């Protein structure tokens, strides 16, 4: 009697685990499945594609796109006339290039990468020194700053959108592409700054003072100890903070949607994906493939820091 | 005498260094967070036009906003969204934390998989969710119409605002439960095992152990998570707008008001002020009553 109760309990428990995992990963399975399906297969509720189609990925990554639309007769011609020069070949291929319809995924990917890496890097540089200041030095105003960081942490998004937009447009930044890019970069920097300051401050507080004191007795200056002691000791935390900041910038849509309006050349990935979705219908395979490729870098980064993640979360490394 | 002077100098030096190191970050935050907050309050008293000319109109923006039934609808929608996402995320997070606190094979793998909704960019997951509820090809309609027969015909669930809000709520629970469960789990693992053993000796059942040991132990963690969740979900924009832009919570309402149509930025600013005041009011109330600080 007791045994059978135990067994049914165990089954119930595993069913619960299974349900939780399924709930968490089902949308991802759906995403992978759709990105690999042909259009005629979309209505099929099965998650396994009847036939694998990697055309969407190829198109987004611009692999083999140059020769896709060339008629076979021309291909034969190109193959069988070896005496054509390179320039001539290129001219013929270019003629058949279908440039209007291609979604410039790689360009948006590059824009997002530059923007997020720069913002995360600058934010990290500023916050290492800032966090050191309020977490390890004693001076009047130190606790005010510490509390101020927490306060600022709650702001963001929609509450600051209008004034920041007005400020940028008053400064004339929004009339040029470069200006807009810089404005967005600075905004991403300031959005990641409070999080980085807060997290790094918490990490630095865990480093024993005695190590630093020993270095200073040896004649090291304060700045010297930051560079030689604090940074090497907290390198894993610094990497974690960098990845968090990177992710915040990589995911941002609200500001991008307002600031980048009209500048399609500097669209970030979220902007690009949204415009791809809105512009055309029946492009599920491309949308899903683009989603996969957008998620990949972030998921990969997170999996590398998974060990630090839980600690990072509890020391305030979260946004939204 | 000499000694005290030296110490004073040292304290002064530390003070200068401290301010010097924080200054770059503080300046940027001051210019791009604190100043905009004040500028936003200033703007909320003006009629702003696209040409950049602002005319002072006193409290007219606030009047226009407060007498607009659309605004109250947005407040109501926000309330429903915040309450259900917060309760849902917390309850589900607690259940998952209790499950993950037990040992079972492949637990490491399950933990990694459960992180996925939280770490994946919003923009990359909304389309998969949209597809699931797609009227033509989506799995949800296939399941509820063809297989289970709950609905008689396929319809666009996300296109219907009254239904779409529930999709955004479930989406939010899905995205945020990993954070909640991790925070609760780390508290659960710190509970003294002796408490449970003592309860066993006293002959307590599973429920009363949960009710009288586990729950009091996680009370403050849960309390803080609820507070954070409310703050974040109250200001939430992307998770709602990208999935179903017809669910007009306050942030989406402000966005449309300020950046589409006649671009009423003055009214948008006053909306932001109102939203902020509501939030601060809630925080003060909550911290006093629930967290008892």
């Amino acid at each position: 009697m007791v045994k059978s109760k135990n067994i049914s309990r165990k089954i119930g428990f595993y069913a619960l685990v299974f349900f939780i995992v399924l709930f968490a990963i089902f949308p991802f399975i759906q995403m992978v499945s759709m990105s690999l399906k042909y259009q005629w297969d979309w209505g099929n509720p099965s998650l396994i594609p009847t036939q694998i189609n990697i055309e969407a990925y190829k198109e987004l990554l611009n692999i083999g796109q140059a020769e896709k639309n060339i008629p076979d007769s021309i291909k034969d011609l190109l193959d069988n006339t070896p005496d054509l020069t390179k320039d001539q070949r290129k001219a013929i291929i270019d003629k058949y290039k279908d440039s209007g319809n291609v979604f410039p995924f790689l360009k948006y990917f590059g824009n997002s990468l530059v923007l997020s890496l720069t913002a995360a890097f600058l934010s990290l540089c500023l916050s290492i020194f800032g966090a050191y200041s309020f977490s390890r030095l004693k001076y009047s105003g130190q606790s005010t700053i510490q509390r101020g960081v927490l306060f600022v942490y709650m702001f963001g998004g929609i509450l600051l959108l209008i004034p920041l937009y007005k400020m940028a447009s008053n400064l004339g930044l929004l009339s040029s592409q470069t200006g807009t890019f810089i404005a967005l970069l600075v905004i991403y920097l300031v959005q990641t700054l409070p999080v980085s300051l807060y997290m790094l401050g918490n990490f630095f507080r865990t480093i024993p003072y005695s190590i630093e004191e020993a270095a200073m007795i040896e004649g090291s200056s304060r700045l010297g100890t930051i560079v030689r002691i604090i940074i090497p000791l907290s390198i894993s935390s610094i990497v974690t903070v960098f990845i968090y900041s990177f992710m915040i910038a990589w995911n941002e849509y609200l500001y991008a949607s307002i600031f980048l309006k009209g500048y399609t050349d500097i669209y970030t990935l979220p902007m690009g994906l949204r415009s791809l979705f809105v512009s055309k219908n029946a492009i599920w395979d491309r949308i899903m493939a683009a989603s996969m490729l957008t998620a990949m870098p972030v998921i990969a980064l997170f999996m590398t820091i998974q060990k630090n993640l839980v600690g990072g979360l509890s020391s305030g490394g979260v946004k939204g | 005498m000499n000694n005290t002077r030296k110490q004073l100098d040292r304290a002064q030096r530390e003070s200068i260094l401290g301010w010097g190191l924080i200054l770059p970050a503080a300046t940027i935050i001051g210019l791009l967070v604190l100043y905009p907050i004040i500028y936003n309050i200033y703007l909320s008293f003006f009629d702003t036009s696209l040409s950049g000319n602002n005319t002072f109109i006193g409290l007219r923006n606030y009047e226009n906003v407060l007498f607009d039934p659309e605004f109250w609808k947005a407040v109501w929608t926000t309330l429903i969204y915040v309450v259900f996402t917060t309760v849902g995320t917390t309850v589900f997070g607690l259940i998952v934390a209790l499950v993950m606190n037990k040992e079972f094979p492949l637990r490491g793998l399950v933990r990694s998989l459960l992180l996925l909704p939280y770490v994946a960019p919003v923009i990359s997951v909304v389309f998969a969710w949209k597809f699931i509820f797609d009227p033509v090809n989506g799995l949800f309609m296939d399941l509820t119409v063809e297989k289970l027969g709950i609905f008689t015909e396929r319809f666009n669930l996300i296109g219907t605002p009254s239904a779409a809000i529930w999709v955004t709520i479930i989406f939010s629970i899905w995205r945020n439960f990993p954070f909640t469960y991790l925070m609760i789990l780390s508290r659960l693992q710190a509970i003294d095992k002796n408490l449970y053993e003592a309860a066993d000796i006293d002959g307590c059942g599973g429920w009363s152990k949960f009710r009288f040991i586990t729950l009091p132990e996680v009370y403050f963690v849960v309390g803080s998570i609820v507070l954070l969740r409310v703050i974040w979900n109250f200001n939430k924009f992307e998770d709602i707008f990208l999935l179903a832009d017809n669910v007009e919570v306050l942030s989406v309402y402000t966005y449309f008001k300020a950046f589409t149509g006649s671009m009423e930025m003055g009214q948008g600013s006053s909306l932001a002020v109102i939203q902020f005041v509501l939030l601060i009011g809630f925080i003060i109330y909550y911290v006093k009553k629930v967290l008892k600080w």
Side-chain angles (χ1 to χ4, degrees):
Chain A
M1 184 62 204
V2 174
K3 222 176 189 181
S4 76
K5 200 181 166 194
N6 264 345
I7 288 170
S8 63
R9 245 191 187 192
K10 238 185 183 155
I11 291 171
F13 179 77
Y14 284 118
L16 191 59
V17 172
F18 177 77
F19 164 76
I20 292 168
V21 173
L22 185 70
F23 177 63
I25 65 170
F26 183 76
F28 293 96
I29 298 173
Q30 181 75 74
M31 205 195 294
V32 179
S33 143
M34 275 309 287
S35 72
L36 295 172
K37 273 185 182 177
Y38 279 102
Q39 186 163 356
W40 47 263
D41 208 9
W42 290 350
N44 173 13
S46 161
L47 289 169
I48 300 155
T50 322
Q51 205 177 333
I52 300 277
N53 167 30
I54 55 165
E55 212 34 61
Y57 286 97
K58 274 185 163 170
E59 195 184 317
L60 292 173
L61 297 173
N62 210 4
I63 299 166
Q65 292 304 299
E67 287 160 28
K68 199 174 102 185
N69 296 307
I70 303 173
D72 286 340
S73 57
I74 306 287
K75 261 187 205 161
D76 281 347
L77 186 80
L78 283 171
D79 289 340
N80 298 326
T81 37
D83 46 331
L84 279 172
T85 66
K86 250 193 182 156
D87 287 340
Q88 282 171 317
R89 254 171 218 280
K90 200 171 172 289
I92 295 173
I93 291 172
D94 280 351
K95 238 188 188 167
Y96 292 98
K97 235 187 205 160
D98 164 28
S99 54
N101 202 25
V102 173
F103 174 67
F105 179 82
L106 288 176
K107 186 158 86 182
Y108 298 162
F109 194 94
N111 290 340
S112 268
L113 202 62
V114 171
L115 205 56
S116 314
L117 283 179
T118 319
F121 178 74
L122 291 177
S123 159
L124 191 65
C125 293
L126 289 174
S127 50
I128 285 177
F129 293 106
Y132 181 85
S133 159
F134 69 75
S135 65
R136 293 186 82 88
L137 296 173
K138 285 189 190 69
Y139 52 90
S140 63
Q142 171 227 13
S143 60
T144 317
I145 286 180
Q146 218 168 316
R147 256 175 279 143
V149 167
L150 253 179
F151 175 71
V152 168
Y153 194 10
M154 300 189 321
F155 278 96
I158 195 81
L159 295 179
L160 295 178
L161 180 63
I162 295 168
L164 285 174
Y165 176 78
K166 272 275 185 191
M167 281 161 70
S169 90
N170 288 348
L171 290 172
L173 285 174
L174 300 183
S175 54
S176 78
Q177 192 162 295
T178 331
T180 308
F181 194 76
I182 291 171
L184 204 57
L185 178 67
V186 174
I187 287 172
Y188 287 178
L189 167 65
V190 80
Q191 287 202 339
T192 57
L193 206 51
V195 193
S196 312
L197 278 172
Y198 184 60
M199 277 176 83
L200 279 178
N202 285 345
F203 286 130
F204 288 166
R205 249 177 243 122
T206 61
I207 299 171
Y209 272 99
S210 52
I211 298 178
E212 233 183 305
E213 267 161 19
M216 281 193 288
I217 289 166
E218 302 272 321
S220 176
S221 68
R222 275 280 187 185
L223 286 176
T225 53
I226 297 180
V227 175
R228 270 183 305 242
I229 310 277
I230 300 286
I231 293 179
L233 275 179
S234 45
I235 196 73
S236 70
S237 319
I238 289 176
V239 172
T240 309
V241 170
F242 181 80
I243 292 176
Y244 273 121
S245 308
F246 177 85
M247 184 190 77
I248 291 172
W250 184 262
N251 293 349
E252 211 284 330
Y253 173 79
L254 176 59
Y255 282 83
S257 79
I258 296 297
F259 281 67
L260 299 181
K261 220 180 254 170
Y263 295 114
T264 42
D265 271 346
I266 50 169
Y267 265 18
T268 56
L269 266 185
M271 270 304 269
L273 255 73
R274 172 84 178 172
S275 72
L276 175 67
F277 184 79
V278 174
S279 66
K280 289 169 202 157
N281 261 327
I283 32 104
W284 284 114
D285 55 340
R286 280 204 290 174
I287 268 286
M288 295 296 174
S291 297
M292 282 297 294
L293 294 172
T294 309
M296 276 310 172
V298 180
I299 291 177
L301 281 176
F302 260 95
M303 290 306 157
T304 59
I305 55 154
Q306 215 196 103
K307 250 190 266 162
N308 295 334
L309 189 68
V310 182
L313 287 176
S314 40
S315 49
V318 276
K319 183 92 182 175
Chain B
M1 180 67 200
N2 208 2
N3 203 10
T4 48
R5 219 179 107 189
K6 218 173 173 183
Q7 274 194 345
L8 205 75
D9 280 349
R10 203 164 151 200
Q12 272 174 341
R13 269 215 312 263
E14 191 152 308
S15 169
I16 291 167
L17 182 70
W19 279 103
L21 291 179
I22 192 77
L23 205 63
T27 313
I28 289 182
I29 289 177
L31 282 176
L32 291 163
V33 179
L34 301 180
Y35 174 72
I37 293 172
I38 295 165
Y39 186 49
N40 184 60
I41 297 172
Y42 168 86
L43 278 177
S44 71
F45 297 113
F46 285 82
D47 183 21
T48 57
S49 69
L50 286 176
S51 56
N53 294 326
N54 300 339
T55 25
F56 183 77
I57 52 165
L59 291 172
R60 194 98 49 81
N61 281 330
Y62 289 91
E63 263 172 48
N64 286 334
V65 166
L66 292 173
F67 287 110
D68 186 354
E70 287 293 309
F71 165 74
W72 293 102
K73 222 177 113 192
V75 172
W76 180 238
T77 311
T78 312
L79 205 67
I80 292 178
Y81 180 78
V82 172
V83 168
F84 282 94
T85 52
T86 307
V87 172
T89 312
T90 311
V91 171
F92 190 61
L94 182 63
I95 293 171
V96 176
L98 291 170
V99 169
M100 297 301 287
N101 199 26
K102 295 217 162 55
E103 298 263 353
F104 58 87
L106 294 179
R107 190 166 68 157
L109 177 70
V110 169
R111 274 182 168 216
S112 307
L113 289 177
L114 291 191
L115 275 180
L116 284 178
Y118 184 68
V119 300
V122 198
I123 190 76
S124 70
V125 290
V126 284
F127 299 117
W129 274 77
K130 271 181 189 269
F131 180 78
I132 291 172
F133 295 101
D134 184 71
V136 183
N137 300 315
L139 206 65
F140 183 78
M141 282 297 146
D142 183 67
L143 206 66
T144 51
V145 178
E146 320 293 309
K147 303 268 156 63
L148 301 174
I150 298 172
F151 304 117
T152 48
E153 56 178 344
R154 290 167 178 254
F155 63 99
N156 188 355
L157 193 76
I158 289 184
T160 326
S162 57
I165 184 170
W166 298 103
V167 178
T168 59
I169 287 169
I170 294 173
F171 178 69
S172 168
I173 295 173
W174 175 77
R175 250 184 91 63
N176 295 309
F177 87 85
F179 171 70
T180 307
Y181 114 75
L182 280 175
M183 299 289 278
I184 298 177
L185 182 63
S186 63
R187 183 71 195 81
L188 280 180
Q189 285 170 344
I191 297 177
D192 191 353
K193 298 278 178 297
N194 291 332
L195 287 173
Y196 291 107
E197 277 165 25
D200 277 335
I201 292 165
D202 289 344
C204 287
W207 168 252
S208 55
K209 272 192 278 186
F210 174 75
R211 170 71 188 79
F212 295 106
I213 302 175
T214 314
L215 221 49
E217 289 276 340
V218 296
Y219 180 80
F220 278 99
V221 168
V222 171
S224 321
I225 295 170
V226 166
L227 178 62
L228 287 174
R229 195 76 274 141
V230 170
I231 295 173
W232 285 330
N233 284 4
F234 193 75
N235 291 334
K236 191 63 81 188
F237 176 80
E238 273 121 334
D239 293 20
I240 301 157
F241 181 81
L242 291 174
L243 184 60
D245 56 15
N246 52 3
V247 178
E248 288 201 19
V249 293
L250 273 173
S251 54
V252 176
Y253 180 67
T254 308
Y255 181 85
F256 281 136
K257 191 120 219 166
F259 292 101
T260 54
S262 52
M263 297 188 62
E264 299 283 354
M265 292 216 188
Q267 283 193 35
S269 303
S270 63
L271 275 166
V273 172
I274 293 170
Q275 189 169 347
F276 177 66
V277 170
L278 287 176
L279 188 59
I280 288 289
F282 170 79
I283 292 172
I284 292 171
Y285 173 82
Y286 187 87
V287 166
K288 284 227 170 97
K289 292 287 167 187
V290 180
L291 298 181
K292 301 181 185 105
W293 281 354

